[in-house]
Amino acid sequence: MAEGQAPLKVAWVKEGRLLSQGEALDARLGGLLRRALEGVSLKEGESLLVAAPEGQVLLFGLGEDARSSGGRLAQALLRLRFPEALVEPLEDAYTLAEGLLLGAYRFQRHKSEKEEKALTLRLPGVTEGVLERARKVAEGVYLARDLVNEPPNLLTPEALAERALELRALGVEVEVLDEEAIASLGMGAFLAVAQGSENPPRFIRLRYAPPGARARLDLVGKGLTFDSGGYSLKPTESMTTMKGDMAGAAAVLGAMKSAALLGLPVEIRGYIAACENMISGRAYRVGDVLKTFSGKTVEVMNTDAEGRLTLADALFYAEREGAERILELSTLTGAAVVALGEEVAALFATELAWGSLVQEAAHRAGEKVWPMPLEKAYREKLKSPVADLKNVGDRNGGAITAALFLSEFVRVPLAHLDIAGPAFAKKGHPLGPEGGTGFGVRTILEVAQAL
């Protein structure tokens, strides 16, 4: 830091004190930085720009979370418009690098005037391997965010499948089943949800299988590219973020990309039932009885509880393909948001050890999840007088009954992440702007590495 050359140098400040490299830089500057800090208290994300003989020095408030502080710093540097900056590394250099990359994300594809500007960040003393790993993880998160942020008239089920096919360039096997193939398999629940839309459904299978893989992980992601609620129509304000109802699928695709880039020694398979939930003369109705891929029948009591129907067929398919354990991600219920707010995902697991592994992986990834009970007594709420199951219970414990519904279609250990809260940010946050967050990508990667 002291000897490097750059138009801007960034020194961290924590509890009013410079860190080691900042102190070395300050010694070179004759105490200039300490004098600037006198009487100033910088909280996380707050900054002070100091003119020095060799260029500018940005004193930046460091918080407890290096990833969050890195994201805030990236956003501040983009506003300052310096072409290059030398950033003081932290002890956890990887987490800082990841935060810098995630915080710098922007989605401007559809703006006529783009604010594109190059910014080069250098972390002295940090190995290229650490930086490369952070870049490859960020690429997967960026893909997931891009997919969620795409408008629904452009990201149809077919378009989502086309984006999945792009992963073939990285060595990922991708197969896309059309409506006829889906029907021939007997995915009656998935097709019922899809039948109201002019845009046909697609079932996407992915497989990343490096030589000598030490374990296998199967992923299922909810792929509703738009959800109107069907005849159980959502109010307008609830529909504004429904282009993001495929955030689970986006997380699966993003994780697949990063896993391939990283060369993780784990076989990863992914399954996405992609469709739209729309209203038309062909749309499914309240009171319909559907035959799922598993053979079980479901009475539809709410057409806005459509995600669990598509997932029922996708989960059974995954198990039929030999899944040993399944991690499923979906923006499934508003009840999970009521319970845990907009930053924490609800974690349900049919096996304690599998749920604990996912929870610990999410903690390492810096993604917030909280374990919730699969209360078996609530299974009574799903009983139907005319079918094996209803697709909803009453309004109490809605996230739990949704998870219980999913568990009916698999026998292998299942971890269900209800990411309805953290998948879409309604305002800017330390790791990015409003919109898709890419939640789940980093957790999936940590789960894979732990197997």
Side-chain angles (χ1 to χ4, degrees):
M1 270 284 290
E3 298 172 359
Q5 298 298 315
L8 178 69
K9 295 182 179 182
V10 180
W12 298 102
V13 178
K14 188 170 186 178
E15 298 177 352
R17 299 174 63 88
L18 295 165
L19 304 187
S20 58
Q21 290 203 32
E23 289 182 343
L25 176 61
D26 187 48
R28 182 184 178 108
L29 297 174
L32 174 65
L33 304 183
R34 292 193 185 198
R35 291 194 296 273
L37 283 171
E38 290 178 3
V40 176
S41 176
L42 294 180
K43 298 178 182 177
E44 182 185 17
E46 295 180 341
S47 61
L48 181 64
L49 190 60
V50 180
E54 301 174 358
Q56 306 289 319
V57 178
L58 184 70
L59 302 175
F60 201 84
L62 175 65
E64 296 299 322
D65 181 1
R67 188 180 282 107
S68 171
S69 294
R72 291 181 188 275
L73 174 59
Q75 294 172 31
L77 293 175
L78 288 171
R79 290 192 295 269
L80 288 172
R81 296 177 179 269
F82 281 86
E84 182 182 353
L86 195 64
V87 179
E88 180 179 10
L90 299 174
E91 184 176 346
D92 189 352
Y94 171 79
T95 303
L96 171 60
E98 189 179 273
L100 288 166
L101 288 161
L102 296 181
Y105 173 85
R106 295 291 180 272
F107 185 77
Q108 303 185 87
R109 184 170 300 167
H110 304 295
K111 292 191 178 231
S112 55
E113 295 184 10
K114 298 178 175 61
E115 299 180 8
E116 293 181 350
K117 44 190 176 290
L119 171 62
T120 300
L121 301 181
R122 292 191 286 131
L123 278 70
V126 178
T127 66
E128 180 58 30
V130 169
L131 300 178
E132 189 66 14
R133 178 186 165 210
R135 277 193 290 266
K136 290 174 179 177
V137 170
E139 281 197 47
V141 177
Y142 274 33
L143 172 59
R145 290 179 175 183
D146 284 349
L147 292 171
V148 171
N149 289 331
E150 278 290 354
N153 61 317
L154 298 180
L155 194 77
T156 61
E158 290 175 284
L160 182 63
E162 289 170 4
R163 295 299 297 272
L165 287 168
E166 294 173 4
L167 295 177
R168 285 177 172 175
L170 299 176
V172 177
E173 300 172 20
V174 185
E175 181 183 4
V176 178
L177 306 183
D178 63 13
E179 195 168 8
E180 184 178 344
I182 296 166
S184 67
L185 282 172
M187 292 186 170
F190 174 28
L191 281 176
V193 175
Q195 70 192 31
S197 175
E198 291 293 322
N199 292 311
R202 291 292 182 265
F203 189 80
I204 306 166
R205 294 175 44 185
L206 308 104
R207 181 173 180 254
Y208 162 71
R214 67 175 182 235
R216 172 173 163 176
L217 171 63
D218 285 66
L219 306 171
V220 174
K222 179 182 172 184
L224 267 290
T225 58
F226 189 75
D227 177 21
S228 71
Y231 280 111
S232 303
L233 187 68
K234 294 178 183 288
T236 302
E237 60 273 14
S238 298
M239 221 182 291
T240 54
T241 60
M242 283 301 101
K243 68 178 184 179
D245 209 19
M246 36 61 67
V252 170
L253 294 175
M256 279 283 186
K257 180 174 185 177
S258 289
L261 290 171
L262 290 164
L264 294 186
V266 175
E267 178 181 352
I268 304 177
R269 300 195 186 199
Y271 309 93
I272 297 166
C275 68
E276 295 177 331
N277 184 23
M278 302 293 282
I279 298 172
S280 73
R282 300 183 307 175
Y284 79 130
R285 297 148 295 216
V286 173
D288 285 359
V289 172
L290 313 176
K291 187 175 182 180
T292 68
F293 187 24
S294 71
K296 291 183 179 181
T297 55
V298 178
E299 182 185 13
V300 177
M301 302 305 295
N302 187 323
T303 63
D304 194 26
E306 85 299 328
R308 66 198 69 183
L309 296 172
T310 67
L311 290 168
D313 284 348
L315 287 166
F316 186 80
Y317 187 98
E319 182 168 282
R320 196 189 74 157
E321 290 292 297
E324 300 166 0
R325 61 185 73 82
I326 300 173
L327 172 56
E328 177 272 323
L329 302 93
S330 52
T331 48
L332 202 62
T333 68
V337 186
V338 172
L340 298 175
E342 296 176 332
E343 294 192 11
V344 184
L347 169 63
F348 297 87
T350 60
E351 181 187 270
L352 181 60
W354 180 224
S356 296
L357 188 149
V358 173
Q359 183 181 7
E360 291 163 7
H363 178 73
R364 291 193 300 274
E367 295 187 314
K368 300 173 185 175
V369 307
W370 192 255
M372 300 282 279
L374 269 175
E375 178 51 60
K376 295 189 185 303
Y378 295 171
R379 173 63 176 75
E380 293 291 315
K381 298 172 183 282
L382 297 175
K383 283 190 172 180
S384 164
V386 297
D388 296 323
L389 294 162
K390 294 189 297 186
N391 73 326
V392 294
D394 56 34
R395 63 181 300 181
N396 298 323
I400 299 174
T401 53
L404 285 167
F405 181 89
L406 296 181
S407 71
E408 290 285 320
F409 298 91
V410 287
R411 291 167 295 179
V412 299
L414 169 68
H416 157 57
L417 273 179
D418 192 332
I419 61 173
F424 196 96
K426 294 181 180 178
K427 61 181 181 179
H429 53 97
L431 294 181
E434 67 176 276
T437 63
F439 188 96
V441 171
R442 290 178 285 137
T443 293
I444 291 170
L445 296 172
E446 287 289 344
V447 168
Q449 290 174 322
L451 294 178

